[in-house]
Amino acid sequence: MKPRWVCRIVGWLYAALGAAGTLSRDIGAYFRFTSVEAYLYLALGVWAVWAARRRTRTSVLALLCIGILSFAWSLSPWMGLPHAVLRTMGSQQPLDLLIRELVAIWGIGTAVKAVLDWRSSHRSTTS
């Protein structure tokens, strides 16, 4: 799948989660958002949608950064962060962790594949 499409899908997913988190703090028993969490989702989503409309390298860079941030965010309870930071971020729900991990794997994987494809096409045109 092209990096721009993946970036657009990830962006709309995160923007929808951010909008849902700012409008209501709970979505059933599945999600419980803090204000920091909701605005972080919204900011990452808007950034990804914006990057998807730019050049391919911009969307690849956004996917890589969002993937790394999502991976670090999902591992934050085990990274030894202070309890004040963890309380601000809120408790992590299983579905929330699953979405962040899938976005991280999909984003980083797509970015790496796009760079490797570019290198192989660039190498074949120069030789």
Side-chain angles (χ1 to χ4, degrees), residues 10 12 16 20 35 38 40 44 64 69-70 73 90 97 99 105 114 118-119:
V10 166
W12 282 112
S35 60
L40 189 57
L44 289 175
L64 184 66
L69 282 171
S70 295
W73 189 6
L97 285 171
I99 288 173
I105 291 167
W118 174 81
R119 282 188 62 200

Side-chain angles (χ1 to χ4, degrees), residues 15 18 24 29 36 40 63-64 70 86 91-92 98 100 103 122:
S24 78
V36 173
L40 189 57
L63 275 175
L64 184 66
S70 295
L86 293 177
S91 64
Q92 299 206 15
L98 179 68
R100 279 191 232 135
V103 164
H122 186 68

Side-chain angles (χ1 to χ4, degrees), residues 24-65:
S24 78
R25 297 290 176 215
D26 290 335
I27 300 177
Y30 301 109
F31 286 106
R32 288 186 184 88
F33 296 101
T34 62
S35 60
V36 173
E37 234 178 350
Y39 289 123
L40 189 57
Y41 271 130
L42 193 59
L44 289 175
V46 168
W47 180 39
V49 170
W50 173 83
R53 299 181 59 87
R54 301 292 175 235
R55 303 175 97 177
T56 303
R57 64 177 149 194
T58 306
S59 59
V60 167
L61 180 64
L63 275 175
L64 184 66
C65 291

Side-chain angles (χ1 to χ4, degrees), residues 3-31:
R4 286 181 170 180
W5 284 103
V6 174
C7 196
R8 187 169 287 145
I9 292 168
V10 166
W12 282 112
L13 174 68
Y14 271 13
L17 285 172
T22 55
L23 295 175
S24 78
R25 297 290 176 215
D26 290 335
I27 300 177
Y30 301 109
F31 286 106

